[in-house]
Amino acid sequence: KNSGKVAVAVAVTDDLTDTYSAVTLVNAGAEKVGGRGGGKPGMAQAGGSNVAGAEDALAAIKEAIAG
């Protein structure tokens, strides 16, 4: 059954948290699925209701990593 919701989770290894914040990355994706997220620099989660934006969420996270 389709619940009409999407979840986004991002983990960043300890050696990279000075460069990348999981919170920043997850929020880049969350914007594309109509949601918001939070967490810690090493692990963050978000949820949203725009399932159609899931691919765009992944692309936004990749773009944020690429700089």
Side-chain angles (χ1 to χ4, degrees):
K1 183 177 179 182
N2 183 352
S3 66
K5 295 186 180 186
V6 62
V8 180
V10 175
V12 176
T13 57
D14 289 341
D15 61 321
L16 293 175
T17 54
D18 287 340
T19 305
Y20 303 104
S21 167
V23 175
T24 301
L25 296 174
V26 85
N27 278 316
E31 288 179 13
K32 303 298 182 182
V33 295
R36 293 180 41 177
K40 296 184 178 182
M43 176 66 189
Q45 298 178 52
S49 57
N50 179 15
V51 176
E55 292 295 327
D56 291 338
L58 289 174
I61 293 168
K62 288 178 183 179
E63 186 176 313
I65 291 169

